[in-house]
Amino acid sequence: QVQLVESGGGLVQPGGSLRLSCVASGFTFSNNAMRWYRQAPGKEREFVARIAVTGRTTYADSMKGRFTISRDNAKNTVSLQMNGLKPEDTAVYYCNVFLAITNYWGQGTQVTVSS
């Protein structure tokens, strides 16, 4: 079965950095685009970044220039490097893959940006 396991969240001060990772299994990782989403308390889940099979990347406007998504097909891993973190980046971050007609999500990893 499809599994997505995120890690790397934590507490960081404003301006700091974190690197999130998501290890995938149960499908052919290299043949699928991967995405990161996030959900802040009281808000809807929102798109963060996407990386295509080709390596082409797409970002939400508020993350451009600060976040970098990457993938390692040999390790079935997608990562999100987050720099210049702001308090408004506080959220649970989720890894996502869309297969056939189903969206699959990991359990999420908490990122808290606070002094």
Side-chain angles (χ1 to χ4, degrees):
Q1 71 277 21
V2 175
Q3 283 194 315
L4 301 170
V5 180
E6 302 99 333
S7 62
L11 174 64
V12 63
Q13 293 188 343
S17 299
L18 280 176
R19 185 176 181 86
L20 307 183
S21 294
C22 170
V23 178
S25 60
F27 64 99
T28 306
F29 180 82
S30 59
N31 288 355
N32 288 278
M34 299 296 297
R35 296 169 181 81
W36 285 95
Y37 284 76
R38 70 183 186 184
Q39 188 165 19
K43 295 187 176 181
E44 293 187 354
R45 194 168 296 190
E46 65 173 345
F47 170 78
V48 174
R50 175 185 184 270
I51 186 164
V53 170
T54 59
R56 180 181 178 184
T57 58
T58 308
Y59 299 93
D61 287 344
S62 62
M63 289 76 165
K64 286 180 182 177
R66 299 191 300 125
F67 291 9
T68 303
I69 188 172
S70 61
R71 65 190 299 158
D72 184 340
N73 290 337
K75 296 182 179 179
N76 283 8
T77 299
V78 57
S79 299
L80 186 69
Q81 177 67 41
M82 305 186 295
N83 300 326
L85 284 163
K86 306 173 182 179
E88 52 264 42
D89 294 318
T90 295
V92 178
Y93 284 71
Y94 296 91
C95 182
N96 166 267
V97 66
F98 184 75
L99 301 172
I101 59 171
T102 304
N103 259 319
Y104 293 92
W105 302 92
Q107 83 287 351
T109 186
Q110 176 72 48
V111 172
T112 302
V113 185
S114 174
S115 55

